[in-house]
Amino acid sequence: MGIITPLVAYSVSCVGSALGLLSTERARNSTGAQSHWWLVVAAVAIGGMGIWVMHFTAMLGTWMGTNVAYDVPLTLLSMVVAIVVVGVGLFVVSRSDPNRLGPLAAGGVFTGVGVAAMHYTGMSAVTIGARVSYDIPIVLLSVLIAVVAATAALWATMNIRGPLAVVGAALVMGLAVTGMHYTGMAAMKVVVDQRAPLIVGNSQELITSLIIGVIAVCVIIIFLLVLTASSKEFEDDAELLDRVIRRSGWRES
């Protein structure tokens, strides 16, 4: 339905990816439970916003030839899958040496396959008066794109530093996520059944929920990033204060 919805979906994915990258950077500069909590925040940002919200934003702009409704439990399950698989991938790579390829590859495969599972679980939540089938080679291509994108994203979460690098990586991650989604959609074949009863769509309610959810999550994560400091930042501040005090005492003597 035009270029607006894909652009909005891409923007949402970029914002979620950027917030996730900032959160993982905060996790690297923290220790203990604080580091783990930042990884949870990153999983919600990347999995929930960067992937899941992007998926359904794009879906709500897709016309399939007839009205569409969504199975709410399956839709919510797909959200849980997205957050969990990203969280597992983040914890796998965060526990290993950033230069080791084994954990990165394992985390990328697990997360990529999980993201693909999220996509097709979300697609199974679509209730439509039509026969739906999938082109298997294109489905496999979408899974491959998801694995490559997930591996690159996990590498970025462990290595990207600085605002400009975060913005650049988020733009690439958003492109990879939307690319996987639309490849998966290209695999979908819909033949409308003219004899099927008309389905009453619930798209408007989902749009409203998505908008409220995205705004709420963005605000919460931004406040967390702005109003909290990592263990390393506390140590750096304490060290700076100690140097100032010692220098001040030296001058007075």
Side-chain angles (χ1 to χ4, degrees):
M1 296 181 66
I3 194 63
I4 299 300
T5 303
L7 288 178
V8 172
Y10 172 69
S11 300
V12 168
S13 184
C14 290
V15 171
S17 298
L19 292 175
L21 289 171
L22 291 172
S23 299
T24 55
E25 186 174 12
R26 187 60 60 84
R28 291 196 302 267
N29 294 330
S30 303
T31 57
Q34 189 180 49
S35 176
H36 294 160
W37 278 114
W38 278 117
L39 289 178
V40 171
V41 172
V44 172
I46 297 174
M49 290 181 57
I51 297 174
W52 185 81
V53 172
M54 175 271 141
H55 169 87
F56 278 97
T57 300
M59 281 299 301
L60 293 173
T62 302
W63 174 245
M64 298 186 183
T66 184
N67 285 354
V68 169
Y70 293 91
D71 184 306
V72 175
L74 272 179
T75 301
L76 294 178
L77 175 62
S78 67
M79 178 183 66
V80 172
V81 169
I83 294 174
V84 169
V85 297
V86 170
V88 171
L90 288 173
F91 275 94
V92 168
V93 297
S94 68
R95 292 284 188 176
S96 62
D97 186 336
N99 296 318
R100 291 183 58 195
L101 294 180
L104 177 62
V109 170
F110 178 85
T111 303
V113 172
V115 169
M118 178 283 305
H119 174 85
Y120 291 106
T121 300
M123 294 308 302
S124 69
V126 173
T127 303
I128 183 172
R131 295 189 302 276
V132 178
S133 60
Y134 289 92
D135 187 322
I136 298 303
I138 300 180
V139 169
L140 295 177
L141 176 61
S142 71
V143 175
L144 177 61
I145 293 173
V147 170
V148 173
T151 304
L154 291 177
W155 179 90
T157 61
M158 293 298 105
N159 293 277
I160 293 297
R161 291 172 173 80
L164 290 179
V166 166
V167 170
L171 292 175
V172 174
M173 289 168 65
L175 185 62
V177 171
T178 52
M180 180 271 158
H181 169 81
Y182 286 109
T183 301
M185 289 301 295
M188 186 180 185
K189 308 299 179 184
V190 178
V191 178
V192 176
D193 184 354
Q194 301 296 341
R195 296 170 299 177
L198 184 65
I199 293 174
V200 179
N202 58 357
S203 298
Q204 191 62 46
E205 292 81 357
L206 282 180
I207 290 174
T208 303
S209 300
L210 283 172
I211 292 174
I212 294 173
V214 168
I215 293 175
V217 172
C218 278
V219 169
I220 291 171
I221 294 177
I222 290 171
F223 268 96
L224 285 173
L225 290 167
V226 171
L227 299 179
T228 62
S230 66
S231 303
K232 186 177 183 300
E233 289 169 334
F234 278 124
E235 293 173 1
D236 291 344
D237 291 343
E239 183 179 347
L240 176 61
L241 179 61
D242 183 61
R243 286 203 303 268
V244 170
I245 292 174
R246 283 190 283 109
R247 181 171 295 182
S248 176
W250 176 78
R251 285 179 177 174
E252 290 177 359
S253 62

